[in-house]
C-alpha cells in the first residue's frame, strides 16, 4: 500500500501538466495519514508555492483560526488541493490541469479514507458534488455521494475578500465537529 510520502514525492517531480513550469514548489498537501477530516482547497497561492505547503498565506491563517475555534489541530486533519502546482497569477485551473492532477487527490483520499471531506470554495465543491449546486445554497450542508460524506464550505479567501461571508463560514465551521461525531457513530454502527 502506498503512503502519503510516496504521493508527495511524485507531486514534487510532476510534469503531467504545464503548471510546474511557473511554479517554485509542488504542494502535495499536509497532515495526518489517519485524518478523519480531509479539507480540499483549489490550488496553491504565492505563499504556498514559496513554502511547498498548503494554506500558509492569509487564507491559511484564517483556516488555522477556524480549526482552533473547534479545537482541531492541523496535524490531526489533512489539507490538500485540487491542483498541486500554483496556477500563474492565481488564475482558475484549466479543466485539463484538473484532470491531470485529480488522480493524486484520489490516491490521497484512498490512503486516508477520511470520514468527512470538507470542500473549500465552489471549484472544489464541483469536483465532487453536482454541477448545478450553488455554494450560496449548499454551504454547510452534509451530502453523501458514492459512499463518501461531504460538507461544502465557502473558501476562506472568499470570506476574507467578501466580509459578509466571514461570519457564515465561521458558523458553518462550528457545525463540523458535531457532523463528524455523528458520521463516526453511524459508521461504527454500520461496521458492527
Ligand atoms: N487557497 C487554496 O485553495 N489552497 C491553498 O493551499 C491556499 C490558498
Amino acid at each position: 500500500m502506498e503512503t502519503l510520502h510516496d504521493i508527495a514525492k511524485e507531486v514534487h517531480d510532476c510534469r503531467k501538466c504545464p503548471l510546474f513550469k511557473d511554479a517554485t514548489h509542488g504542494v502535495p498537501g499536509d497532515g495526518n495519514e489517519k485524518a478523519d477530516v480531509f479539507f480540499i482547497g483549489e490550488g496553491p497561492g504565492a505563499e504556498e508555492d514559496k513554502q511547498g505547503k498548503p494554506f500558509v498565506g492569509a487564507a491559511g491563517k484564517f483556516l488555522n483560526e477556524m480549526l482552533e475555534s473547534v479545537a482541531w489541530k492541523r496535524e490531526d486533519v489533512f489539507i490538500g488541493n485540487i491542483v498541486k502546482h500554483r496556477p500563474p497569477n492565481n488564475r482558475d485551473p484549466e479543466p485539463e490541469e484538473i484532470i491531470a492532477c485529480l488522480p493524486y487527490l484520489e490516491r490521497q483520499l484512498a490512503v486516508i479514507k477520511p470520514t468527512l471531506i470538507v470542500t473549500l470554495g465552489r471549484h472544489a465543491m464541483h469536483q465532487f458534488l453536482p454541477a448545478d449546486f450553488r455554494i450560496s445554497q449548499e454551504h454547510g450542508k452534509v451530502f453523501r455521494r458514492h459512499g463518501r460524506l461531504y460538507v461544502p464550505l465557502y473558501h476562506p479567501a472568499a470570506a476574507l475578500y467578501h466580509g459578509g461571508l466571514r461570519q457564515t463560514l465561521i458558523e458553518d465551521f462550528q457545525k463540523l465537529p458535531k457532523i463528524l461525531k455523528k458520521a463516526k457513530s453511524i459508521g461504527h454502527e454500520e461496521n458492527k
Side-chain angles (χ1 to χ4, degrees), residues 15 34 58 73 89 105 132 142 162 165 170 180 184 186:
R15 301 285 183 267
K34 295 193 165 58
K73 297 199 185 79
N89 304 313
L105 188 58
D132 63 353
V142 186
H162 308 282
L165 299 180
I170 290 172
L180 177 64
K184 286 185 83 167
I186 292 169

Side-chain angles (χ1 to χ4, degrees), residues 27 29 40-49 53-60 63 74 79-83 90 120-121 124 155-157:
V27 183
I40 304 177
E42 182 180 343
E47 197 55 37
E48 289 78 20
D49 177 59
K53 295 205 172 94
F55 282 95
V56 287
L63 180 59
R74 263 182 91 119
I79 302 175
N81 279 303
I82 298 292
V83 294
N90 297 344
L120 301 171
H155 196 290

